Amino acid sequence: MPKRSTVLAAGAAAVVLVIAGVVTALTVSGQGPADQTTVTVRLWDDQVAKAYEASFAEFEKDNPDVNVELSVIPWADYWEKLRTDVAGQSVDDIFWVDGGNYPVYADAGALLDIDKTLGRDASSAWAPAVVDQYTRDGVLWGVPQLADPGIAVYYNAELLADAGLTAADLDGLRWDPTGADDTLLPLLERLTRDTAGQTADSAGFDGSSLAQFGYNSAYDVQAILLNYLASNGAEFQDGEEYAFASPKGVEAFQYMVDLINKHHVSPSAADTNTNGDFSRDQFLQGKMALFQSGVYNLANVNEGADFDWGVARLPAGPAGAISGVDGIVAAGSTASEHPAEVKRVLAWLGSAKGSSFIGAGGSASPAVLAAQQDYSDYWASLDVDISPFYDVLENGTAPAPKGSGWPAADNAMRPLLQEVFLGRTPVAEGVRAAQDAANAAVAK
């Protein structure tokens, strides 16, 4: 996310700027009657914020007594600020949470029970996988907003052509930790160039000075880790216990790390560890041939790429091509001073009409079932085939991190695994230490 994000306020009496994580409200005179109730909504995605702006403008036509104000907090700052604001009871009335972080807030009593707020029957309109992901102790803790299908690979058609390749060469790619049946690495070597123009499969290649990356191996749980682990027959978690340091898990990590530090076909972890958008930005700048990611980057790629691009299926591992899946919900704060208005806004967010703006604008894949066709139709109208994101689900899925211990486990494992990706800790040693640290953090 950019360091400076402008918050979009639909018909609002205020515009909020988020600058380096600091929220500043700027009053706009002459907007909104004095008896209007403001409901604040927090999220981290600029693209969906644009869709929300249009959605809430429509909502306010039928609800003139409610003003919905949006605030976009960059992902890098989102969770620390959310933790602080929930603890201080100064959080927004409605805020996004992800699957790994919501349990701690649900267990702390910070989230509205959606079954009680909107009725248990409401969930029939939403993607079952997202409903299941956010149901804990028999209670649904948020209104499903986004339903990311699988992970796929964006490709730069011009860089493929420069290497004598076409999109057809991406069909049926396989990675193999033994190297015996590996077709992914040889292709990535052809797509990686140093500053002298040498490809990674040539004798004169200088892996310390890259001008073009073949791919984006990195410490990225959703786009990279979950898929490689599952595709090698390993698990990230067994129940709520972390289990990624199995022999198959270590093999998968070794392959990911070698793409960076041995074969030099991916950016240094010194760049990707500290900037989750580094690889996406390199792709958009025409400096990366293949970019593995989800539909959450479709709008970004469509708006930012000035080259021909497309989407290919996820490379298969020994266990096949198995993708991680995830969803996002809008949670209601139990600390809100406007529960009746919050209920109305949540109902709108969970409705076909309210969610249609997300799908129709192509900003994200809606979790409201009736809005999903709008999303497919939008990308079809632009001649973008998004089927690779969905076709991979036929092979099974790798669930997103779960359990109330995830935030603590993530904080414990992340620095250890980042050292592994940097090449400063041997893979088997570092992965085992990360798993032990994660499980110790959950046990506290």
Side-chain angles (χ1 to χ4, degrees), residues 105-414:
Y105 296 108
D107 293 352
L111 308 183
L112 289 178
D113 178 333
I114 298 302
D115 295 325
K116 290 183 178 178
T117 303
L118 300 182
R120 188 171 292 273
D121 292 342
S123 63
S124 63
W126 306 326
V130 183
V131 172
D132 291 345
Q133 183 181 8
Y134 289 88
T135 297
R136 183 172 175 80
D137 299 327
V139 175
L140 178 60
W141 295 106
V143 174
Q145 293 297 281
L146 310 185
D148 288 343
I151 297 297
V153 176
Y154 296 86
Y155 62 83
N156 182 322
E158 296 173 16
L159 296 185
L160 288 179
D162 289 345
L165 301 167
T166 69
D169 292 302
L170 305 181
D171 293 340
L173 283 176
R174 296 186 59 84
W175 68 273
D176 183 351
T178 71
D181 192 27
D182 197 318
T183 60
L184 175 61
L185 177 58
L187 181 134
L188 297 181
E189 289 177 328
R190 292 177 62 180
L191 292 170
T192 303
R193 295 181 182 273
D194 64 19
T195 52
Q198 297 292 313
T199 57
D201 58 354
S202 63
F205 175 70
D206 181 2
S208 66
S209 181
L210 300 184
Q212 177 181 307
F213 305 105
Y215 182 65
N216 63 312
S217 182
Y219 179 61
D220 181 329
V221 174
Q222 183 173 0
I224 305 295
L225 264 66
L226 292 178
N227 311 287
Y228 273 94
L229 289 169
S231 295
N232 200 42
E235 292 181 310
F236 186 68
Q237 287 176 287
D238 180 4
E240 294 189 9
E241 181 178 356
Y242 294 89
F244 51 77
S246 64
K248 292 292 186 182
V250 171
E251 282 184 348
F253 273 101
Q254 187 71 63
Y255 188 91
M256 291 181 275
V257 170
D258 283 349
L259 290 178
I260 302 167
N261 300 311
K262 179 180 179 181
H263 305 296
H264 305 289
V265 296
S266 291
S268 168
D271 293 314
T272 58
N273 278 351
T274 57
N275 181 359
D277 292 334
F278 181 85
S279 292
R280 184 198 67 191
D281 293 344
Q282 294 299 300
F283 181 76
L284 293 179
Q285 293 167 23
K287 299 177 181 178
M288 178 177 287
L290 304 183
F291 171 54
Q292 186 167 302
S293 189
V295 294
Y296 48 84
N297 266 316
L298 264 172
N300 292 319
V301 171
N302 187 55
E303 289 185 4
D306 61 359
F307 48 81
D308 291 334
W309 61 277
V311 183
R313 287 192 67 164
L314 188 72
I322 302 176
S323 172
V325 293
D326 203 3
I328 300 297
V329 298
S333 171
T334 54
S336 173
E337 297 179 354
H338 315 292
E341 290 79 10
V342 166
K343 177 179 178 179
R344 285 154 62 188
V345 175
L346 287 173
W348 173 258
L349 287 171
S351 70
K353 187 174 182 181
S355 190
S356 66
F357 295 89
I358 298 175
S363 58
S365 176
V368 177
L369 296 173
Q372 291 182 343
Q373 187 60 50
D374 293 331
Y375 185 68
S376 297
D377 291 346
Y378 173 85
W379 290 107
S381 73
L382 298 179
D383 294 324
V384 176
D385 178 11
I386 63 173
S387 63
F389 294 109
Y390 295 89
D391 291 345
V392 70
L393 303 179
E394 298 169 359
N395 301 325
T397 60
K402 58 188 176 183
S404 60
W406 165 245
D410 181 35
N411 287 334
M413 76 172 72
R414 187 190 313 114

Side-chain angles (χ1 to χ4, degrees), residues 18-97:
V18 181
I19 303 175
V22 178
V23 180
T24 306
L26 305 179
T27 300
V28 181
S29 61
Q31 295 185 17
D35 60 350
Q36 209 174 41
T37 298
T38 294
V39 173
T40 59
V41 178
R42 178 184 302 195
L43 67 160
W44 60 75
D45 189 291
D46 289 310
Q47 297 294 337
V48 178
K50 295 175 184 177
Y52 273 3
E53 180 186 24
S55 178
F56 287 129
E58 188 68 21
F59 169 82
E60 290 172 357
K61 290 179 182 179
D62 295 327
N63 297 269
D65 60 317
V66 179
N67 166 53
V68 182
E69 182 180 278
L70 301 178
S71 60
V72 179
I73 309 295
W75 175 268
D77 304 312
Y78 193 89
W79 299 107
E80 178 62 26
K81 184 163 180 56
L82 183 65
R83 182 186 65 78
T84 302
D85 291 347
V86 169
Q89 294 194 326
S90 58
V91 72
D92 293 277
D93 299 298
I94 296 170
F95 52 90
W96 273 14
V97 287

